[in-house]
Amino acid sequence: MTPATDTPVEHTDVRTVGSTDALPIAPALGLSLDAARMPRKSTLVTRRILLISVLAVILGVVAAYVAQLLMLTINLITDLCFYGRVSDVIGPHAHTGSFVLSPADNQLGAWVILIPVIGGLLAGVMARWGSRAIQGHGIPEAMEQILTNESNIPARITWLKPLSSAFAIGTGGPFGAEGPIISTGGAMGSLIGQLLRVTANERKVLLAAGAAAGMAAVFGAPVASLVLAVELLLFELRPRSLIPVALAAVTAVGVRYATYGSAPVFPMPEVLQPGGWALISFVLIGGLVGFASVWVTKAVYGVEDMFEKLPIHWMWWPALGALVAGVVGWIEPRTLGVGYDNIDALVQGHFGLTVLLSFGALKFVSWVIALGSGTSGGTLAPLFMIGGSLGAVIGIGINHLVPGLNVDPRIAALVGMAAIFAGSSRALLTAVVFAFETTRQPACLLPLLGGCTAAYLISALLMHNTIMTEKIARRGVKVPSEYAADYLEQVSVGTVCSRNVVTLQTTQTLAEVRRWLAEDSADTQHRSYPVIDEKGHVKGMLPRRTLLDPQWHYTLALSELITQAPIAVDETHSLREAADHMVAENVGRLAVVSKSDPRKLVGIVTRGDILASHAQRLREARFKGRHIKLGKSNKAAPAA
């Protein structure tokens, strides 16, 4: 008998990580057996998590310092380009602590229009002769590498992305620094995962750990960074990924606290807990901002489509987008650069209605066109400014129409900031937790939850893809949008396996079996048969094709054809473990043995049984019916 030549999947990986990979459409049913015939019980983690966690902690430290270096570079370029000096960043009179230098106070006049163009040109040149993957805000590109390329980000992205972003943002590009930092941290994690001997899943965890560490280092928001990694990068909620990513985020924030202190990034005055009617108003504000988030997302990709139609090389597009940003920056200097000081002003209530209207509209125009041109920069800070302005305007309007509701414009601005991010990215929990961690105002938690949920609802109803997924969805990449518990983990093999099994005896000869197979009954049409001894103990599985193979003499007993142990599961294993075992062994059916006596055959589980088990899940999702009918007796009808 010739053994199968296909190399089986490594058993340890498949059995211990709880794979959710799909079953093969038609796996070959051969005798590819080895020493281990039973899958191990899946565990939450293995000892490998200790190594990945240590790497994540190291990555957290490195990402934190890289984030500080990137912010320093942005500040240096801003100081040099807009003020002609570096003394605000380096030297005895430099600003202290964590800060982002604003270009809003420049005295360049109309010459300010040209400064962003320089950054756009540099970003375009670096994208053309470096890597086009540095374009955009970074998170979609990281998602694409996770979903399609086993988290293998090219090593050059590690330095190209932050450098191009530093020039684009430092010269006045209306972007946030968080996107490039998240992208850079992810690239660093991927690079470590490519240098070391790790699995694709472990490399994904390292990528997410680096990304979360980068975000945590900038904003001092470890929980939000962890949740963002879950909602936008990991596409799972498992201990094997949560533990390293959480450790990386905590480490990065620890480095930030040691360097700059533990003050919130966006300090906000103490606000009172809103009343019931005010809370309803904040939910309404979130819903209205949710409509805006849909429109903003469509506007970004609409502008991107317009640039695609231009009759010039894409390398020049960022310079054209930067030209618009420069013109808008000449009109309203506060739209230039990262603008974290503008977020401070929004949550502290320093902007009046006129400024809110003009600033929000101009920031939207500047950012949408610049981002759609394909330059390098983040989306979070611009979205916060646009959504915060809109939320504050709506809050002021509500107070004007119904003064008794006592809607605090500062909370309205915060709700607007978080709601536009929740709607445009559909990272609901990230938006809520991030807004809380960066302001540390517990009175805002309930308004944030209500407003962000309303925006999330509107976005889910009106928009299929998000600002994070539209780009890669257009390339044919399927992005998970729901994370549910694996149904197969909830069903045991014993509940679905076929127990009325047709078996053969080890003492039977091929002549007897072939005469029986020639009868052409229902029992003789199976693809393989378990072979048992006189005690009912399973000895192996023989495919029908082997039993009919003319190379085997008809006088042979079936026991002589069995050379290795059966591929089996016990009846308490989950269907997920059974499915993974099938993939690992490259078979389409497994012997099911008793838990109390691993040698005793109790049934057979097939690929079809596993697929059929989903019938209950589909019924629960689709069947509509009443279990309690009011006004009628719930007693069973008497027997006839």
Side-chain angles (χ1 to χ4, degrees), residues 330-381:
W330 178 42
I331 299 170
E332 173 52 271
R334 281 175 291 205
T335 62
L336 294 170
V338 175
Y340 291 161
D341 56 327
N342 297 320
I343 298 177
D344 287 339
L346 284 169
V347 297
Q348 292 171 14
H350 292 169
F351 285 168
L353 182 61
T354 303
V355 174
L356 288 169
L357 288 170
S358 61
F359 170 74
L362 290 172
K363 184 69 178 183
F364 166 76
V365 172
S366 175
W367 170 70
V368 165
I369 295 177
L371 185 65
S373 70
T375 191
S376 182
T379 62
L380 187 58

Side-chain angles (χ1 to χ4, degrees), residues 363-421:
K363 184 69 178 183
F364 166 76
V365 172
S366 175
W367 170 70
V368 165
I369 295 177
L371 185 65
S373 70
T375 191
S376 182
T379 62
L380 187 58
L383 281 173
F384 270 28
M385 285 177 253
I386 296 167
S389 299
L390 181 57
V393 167
I394 298 173
I396 293 172
I398 292 175
N399 274 340
H400 180 73
L401 295 174
V402 191
L405 295 182
N406 296 320
V407 174
D408 191 324
R410 297 168 298 182
I411 300 180
L414 185 63
V415 169
M417 288 163 48
I420 200 167
F421 181 70

Side-chain angles (χ1 to χ4, degrees), residues 42-383:
S42 295
T43 55
L44 291 178
V45 293
T46 65
R47 291 184 179 180
R48 288 280 298 182
I49 198 173
L50 298 176
L51 170 64
I52 303 303
S53 296
V54 170
L55 293 175
V57 169
I58 297 172
L59 190 58
V61 174
V62 176
Y65 284 112
V66 168
Q68 292 180 19
L69 180 61
L70 178 57
M71 298 303 294
L72 175 65
T73 306
I74 292 173
N75 286 336
L76 280 172
I77 295 173
T78 300
D79 207 15
L80 186 62
C81 291
F82 289 94
Y83 302 107
R85 59 179 185 258
V86 296
S87 57
D88 294 315
V89 183
I90 297 177
H93 303 293
H95 297 284
T96 58
S98 175
F99 71 99
V100 178
L101 190 64
S102 173
D105 297 325
N106 72 84
Q107 303 298 319
L108 297 176
W111 289 106
V112 77
I113 297 173
L114 298 179
I115 304 299
V117 177
I118 297 172
L121 282 171
L122 290 172
V125 168
M126 294 178 72
R128 181 173 184 180
W129 282 286
S131 172
R132 197 172 181 183
I134 66 175
Q135 293 182 311
H137 47 99
I139 296 179
E141 290 73 23
M143 295 169 71
E144 184 174 22
Q145 295 304 312
I146 288 171
L147 294 169
T148 65
N149 197 31
E150 295 188 341
S151 306
N152 290 311
I153 297 177
R156 61 185 180 275
I157 302 298
T158 308
W159 63 270
L160 275 174
K161 182 66 176 180
L163 191 59
S164 63
S165 300
F167 281 116
I169 300 170
T171 54
F175 310 108
E178 65 289 330
I181 291 173
I182 290 172
S183 177
T184 302
M188 291 169 53
S190 174
L191 179 61
I192 292 175
Q194 293 175 69
L195 292 172
L196 300 178
R197 192 177 182 86
V198 299
T199 67
N201 280 331
E202 290 168 340
R203 188 161 49 251
K204 177 181 72 172
V205 172
L206 289 173
L207 187 158
M215 178 176 174
V218 175
F219 294 110
V223 180
S225 302
L226 172 63
V227 177
L228 178 132
V230 170
E231 292 188 307
L232 297 182
L233 296 174
L234 290 170
F235 308 112
E236 65 181 20
L237 190 64
R238 293 180 177 178
R240 69 174 187 186
S241 53
L242 284 180
I243 293 170
V245 175
L247 290 174
V250 170
T251 302
V253 173
V255 173
R256 174 186 172 82
Y257 284 178
T259 308
Y260 300 128
S262 58
V265 177
F266 304 130
M268 184 177 179
E270 292 291 332
V271 293
L272 298 177
Q273 186 72 44
W277 288 108
L279 182 60
I280 294 174
S281 301
F282 292 128
V283 174
L284 174 63
I285 290 171
L288 294 174
V289 174
F291 283 103
S293 71
V294 174
W295 195 70
V296 165
T297 302
K298 293 182 177 180
V300 167
Y301 288 101
V303 170
E304 192 173 285
D305 292 339
M306 292 172 61
F307 273 99
E308 292 281 353
K309 297 176 183 178
L310 291 178
I312 59 175
H313 194 277
W314 56 262
M315 181 187 75
W316 304 105
W317 298 351
L320 294 178
L323 181 62
V324 175
V327 172
V328 175
W330 178 42
I331 299 170
E332 173 52 271
R334 281 175 291 205
T335 62
L336 294 170
V338 175
Y340 291 161
D341 56 327
N342 297 320
I343 298 177
D344 287 339
L346 284 169
V347 297
Q348 292 171 14
H350 292 169
F351 285 168
L353 182 61
T354 303
V355 174
L356 288 169
L357 288 170
S358 61
F359 170 74
L362 290 172
K363 184 69 178 183
F364 166 76
V365 172
S366 175
W367 170 70
V368 165
I369 295 177
L371 185 65
S373 70
T375 191
S376 182
T379 62
L380 187 58
L383 281 173

Side-chain angles (χ1 to χ4, degrees), residues 534-555:
E534 63 280 0
K535 298 180 180 179
H537 294 163
V538 61
K539 294 298 183 180
M541 296 276 288
L542 288 178
R544 177 185 174 88
R545 68 169 180 267
T546 300
L547 297 171
L548 297 176
D549 193 335
Q551 71 171 308
W552 306 118
H553 198 270
Y554 64 88
T555 59

